[in-house]
Amino acid sequence: EFYLKILLLSSSVILSATEDPLIIIAFLYLTVYQLQQEAPRPKRIICPQEVENRPKYYGREFHGIISREQADEILAGVEGAYILRESQRQPGCYTLALRFGNQTLNYRLFYDGKHFVGEKRFESIHDLVTDGLITLYIETKASEYIAKMTKNPIYEHIGYATLLREKVSRRLSRTKTESRKASVTSEENTPVEKITSLVRRAALTQNDNHFNYEKAHNFKVYTFRGPHWCEYCANFMWGLIAQGVRCSDCGLNVHKQCSKYVPNDCQPDLKRIKRVYCCDLTTLVKAHNTQRPMVVDICIREIEARGLKSEGLYRVSGFTEHIEDVKMAFDRDGDKADISASLYPDINIIAGALKLYFRDLPIPVITYETYSKFMEAAKISNPDERLEAVHEVLMLLPAAHYETLRYLMIHLKKVTLNEKENFMNSENLGIVFGPTLMRPPEDSTLTTLNDMRYQKLIVQILIENEDVLF
């Protein structure tokens, strides 16, 4: 208890006395790492006789059908000792009996190809018990400390969150990153080694071309090989497997309990973005530091250069195989993709590729969260009230979605100005783009059919009133 009080006191003193993130990281990391090293080691208690009907995925630690009291007697006095038993009350159900803190703890045990008692799944019972003992020990010895881990996070100390709040920073481009790989200069011109994704994201610089779209991190449970520290609270990430979560878009590594406190400031790393199509819209534009998806800009630029007068533009389908070629070109080459007339003389191929991009988005341009509100707005009979309602819902769209929709509507308005040649008015374009830009959250054919006329109407309103709504 004395050790833990000193721990809490000293951590507060160090955090307040220094602004050097590496000193803070080293201290907090070693603190929890030491606790993991002190955790009891698992001790398998083997059953002295062979047990009939022992499940093939359990070993000699299985003791058959015994009571809790019998398990307690077998494990008494041996910290970290464990056995497996079959429940007397529920035959066919298995229990892990584990000795910790001078008492026997019983956990319902499951197997689906891997062993588990909670969220984590293990290849062996030994690994499960090892991880469990580490977690129990740390949570018992440092519960107060763990509760305070998120109170003064390293995330704030390095200044990344502050820069984002001021909206004057951006992630360095790949070229600048390479040129400054050796060091990044802090306010005191002190070189800071570029060692983690957190420090990488701390290397932000003011730039007038930065598009400061908010984006939540895409955290997924992750198993770290070797010791790792949380990039939010700077504490050691304890356990054998699934010690924390990693953002699959930017690589941020944090405790699962810390992930709920991380702000929506993900800066996607281009190396982690494997494709252009089927990629989340905000993730793509932040990774490329563009205002809109490059597919939208490049395709619209090409269509406006040579296709605005093309009869049936967006209504006439291009050759599917060639549209797939354009998709593959963007996925492979990004903004260097060649969609010129020399390769694709039929402008309907480019129009088809643009529509396919919108259809393939995991979250539509008009998001699932705003879909029902747009439908409600479309059903308002009074034109002025309906227009006002549509405008209010537009304000609820994520910034990158709003900007993409705005740019597309300006383009489609230009298409309608050439109606005499292309025979495409706002109603026709509404029919084409309604189901392309929006779809109901629930995958229901009946809902989709019932909503089609309102989808068409929303797009028609957006085109006709783009100068007012945007």
Side-chain angles (χ1 to χ4, degrees), residues 193-211:
E193 186 180 359
K194 198 173 176 203
I195 53 174
T196 68
S197 63
L198 184 64
V199 178
R200 172 180 66 79
R201 288 202 315 284
L204 300 169
T205 185
Q206 183 171 347
N207 188 293
D208 292 337
N209 296 325
H210 172 57
F211 308 109

Side-chain angles (χ1 to χ4, degrees), residues 8 16 41 49 123-124 126 154 179 183 200 252 259 261 269 300 307 313 321 361 365 369 372 412 447:
L8 287 167
S16 59
R41 298 292 185 263
Q49 66 271 357
E123 295 290 346
S124 69
H126 183 83
I154 190 73
S179 67
S183 65
R200 172 180 66 79
L252 182 69
S259 65
Y261 299 102
D269 188 347
I300 286 179
L313 181 63
E321 186 175 328
L361 285 172
V365 175
E369 287 76 9
S372 61
L412 294 181
T447 301

Side-chain angles (χ1 to χ4, degrees), residues 265-465:
D265 56 6
C266 178
Q267 293 287 341
D269 188 347
L270 268 176
K271 293 182 293 185
R272 298 176 180 275
I273 308 302
K274 303 301 183 184
R275 54 188 177 180
V276 172
Y277 278 67
C278 302
C279 177
D280 173 70
L281 192 153
T282 303
T283 299
L284 186 68
V285 298
K286 284 183 75 71
H288 288 270
N289 194 32
T290 56
Q291 197 168 4
R292 295 169 296 275
M294 94 276 287
V295 178
V296 177
D297 279 3
I298 295 173
C299 286
I300 286 179
R301 190 161 57 240
E302 191 70 21
I303 291 167
E304 291 185 354
R306 60 184 174 97
L308 284 179
K309 299 181 186 296
S310 176
E311 183 176 339
L313 181 63
Y314 289 116
R315 178 177 55 80
V316 176
S317 299
F319 190 42
T320 302
E321 186 175 328
H322 290 168
I323 291 174
E324 284 295 323
D325 287 343
V326 173
K327 173 183 176 179
M328 289 173 61
F330 277 115
D331 283 339
R332 182 183 63 248
D333 304 325
D335 58 3
K336 301 295 190 296
D338 184 2
I339 60 169
S340 62
S342 59
L343 278 180
Y344 304 102
D346 182 4
I347 197 64
N348 295 310
I349 294 170
I350 310 305
L354 180 60
K355 290 188 294 180
L356 179 62
Y357 171 75
F358 288 129
R359 287 198 300 272
D360 280 355
L361 285 172
I363 300 175
V365 175
I366 293 177
T367 61
Y368 294 124
E369 287 76 9
T370 59
Y371 180 85
S372 61
K373 292 182 175 61
F374 273 109
M375 292 299 99
E376 291 169 8
K379 295 173 184 177
I380 297 174
S381 56
N382 183 287
D384 292 336
E385 292 179 4
R386 182 172 59 207
L387 192 64
E388 181 62 31
V390 170
H391 181 262
E392 288 179 2
V393 184
L394 277 174
M395 296 300 102
L396 300 178
L397 288 174
H401 287 245
Y402 176 89
E403 170 56 27
T404 302
L405 187 62
R406 182 193 70 81
Y407 189 72
L408 177 63
M409 291 305 117
I410 292 173
H411 164 66
L412 294 181
K413 185 66 171 286
K414 293 178 184 177
V415 174
T416 63
L417 295 178
N418 292 272
E419 181 186 350
K420 288 183 180 179
E421 291 83 9
N422 60 36
F423 301 105
M424 294 300 290
N425 57 27
S426 59
E427 183 177 2
N428 292 336
L429 290 170
I431 294 172
V432 173
F433 277 94
T436 301
L437 298 176
M438 63 178 80
R439 50 185 183 267
E442 66 279 0
D443 188 14
S444 168
T445 304
L446 182 61
T447 301
T448 302
L449 290 173
N450 290 335
D451 288 350
M452 283 184 68
R453 58 174 175 156
Y454 299 114
Q455 293 173 352
K456 180 210 75 170
L457 180 58
I458 287 296
V459 174
Q460 185 177 347
I461 291 170
L462 292 176
I463 296 171
E464 294 173 354
N465 300 278

Side-chain angles (χ1 to χ4, degrees), residues 30-240:
L30 291 173
T31 297
V32 184
Y33 178 73
Q34 180 61 33
L35 288 176
Q36 172 160 312
Q37 295 301 100
E38 295 172 0
R41 298 292 185 263
K43 301 175 183 64
R44 183 174 72 145
I45 307 299
I46 296 175
C47 185
Q49 66 271 357
E50 188 65 32
V51 179
E52 292 185 6
N53 300 321
R54 182 181 71 195
K56 61 181 180 181
Y57 39 83
Y58 294 146
R60 294 287 303 279
E61 69 275 9
F62 183 74
H63 286 243
I65 300 177
I66 61 173
S67 65
R68 287 188 173 216
E69 292 73 22
Q70 289 173 302
D72 190 50
E73 289 178 9
I74 295 170
L75 299 175
V78 185
E79 193 76 351
Y82 70 93
I83 64 169
L84 307 182
R85 63 182 182 87
E86 186 173 357
S87 173
Q88 285 184 322
R89 298 177 181 176
Q90 294 178 289
C93 294
Y94 303 100
T95 299
L96 166 66
L98 173 64
R99 191 72 178 177
F100 178 81
N102 296 320
Q103 59 179 324
T104 300
L105 308 175
N106 291 275
Y107 298 96
R108 180 77 175 272
L109 188 60
F110 301 91
Y111 181 80
D112 63 355
K114 291 188 176 181
H115 304 278
F116 63 99
V117 296
E119 293 182 352
K120 295 185 180 183
R121 282 163 165 73
F122 299 84
E123 295 290 346
S124 69
I125 293 293
H126 183 83
D127 286 348
L128 185 154
V129 175
T130 303
D131 187 85
L133 287 169
I134 290 170
T135 302
L136 286 168
Y137 187 79
I138 291 177
E139 290 180 352
T140 300
K141 295 292 184 181
S143 58
E144 184 181 355
Y145 179 67
I146 291 172
K148 293 184 177 182
M149 285 196 315
T150 58
K151 301 298 183 184
N152 199 2
I154 190 73
Y155 206 80
E156 301 289 339
H157 278 266
I158 67 163
Y160 175 53
T162 303
L163 287 172
L164 284 171
R165 281 197 298 270
E166 294 171 355
K167 298 183 179 180
V168 296
S169 60
R170 76 174 182 88
R171 182 173 54 82
L172 291 177
S173 67
R174 182 176 296 178
T175 304
K176 290 184 178 180
T177 300
E178 290 299 321
S179 67
R180 298 182 62 188
K181 202 171 237 182
S183 65
V184 176
T185 304
S186 68
E187 291 180 6
E188 294 79 15
N189 296 319
T190 305
V192 179
E193 186 180 359
K194 198 173 176 203
I195 53 174
T196 68
S197 63
L198 184 64
V199 178
R200 172 180 66 79
R201 288 202 315 284
L204 300 169
T205 185
Q206 183 171 347
N207 188 293
D208 292 337
N209 296 325
H210 172 57
F211 308 109
N212 193 33
Y213 296 143
E214 183 179 276
K215 180 189 176 321
H217 290 271
N218 185 19
F219 286 122
K220 295 180 180 178
V221 175
Y222 193 82
T223 294
F224 299 94
R225 303 302 176 191
H228 249 75
W229 55 276
C230 172
E231 296 177 37
Y232 183 79
C233 71
N235 282 284
F236 177 67
M237 300 174 79
W238 60 86
L240 288 186

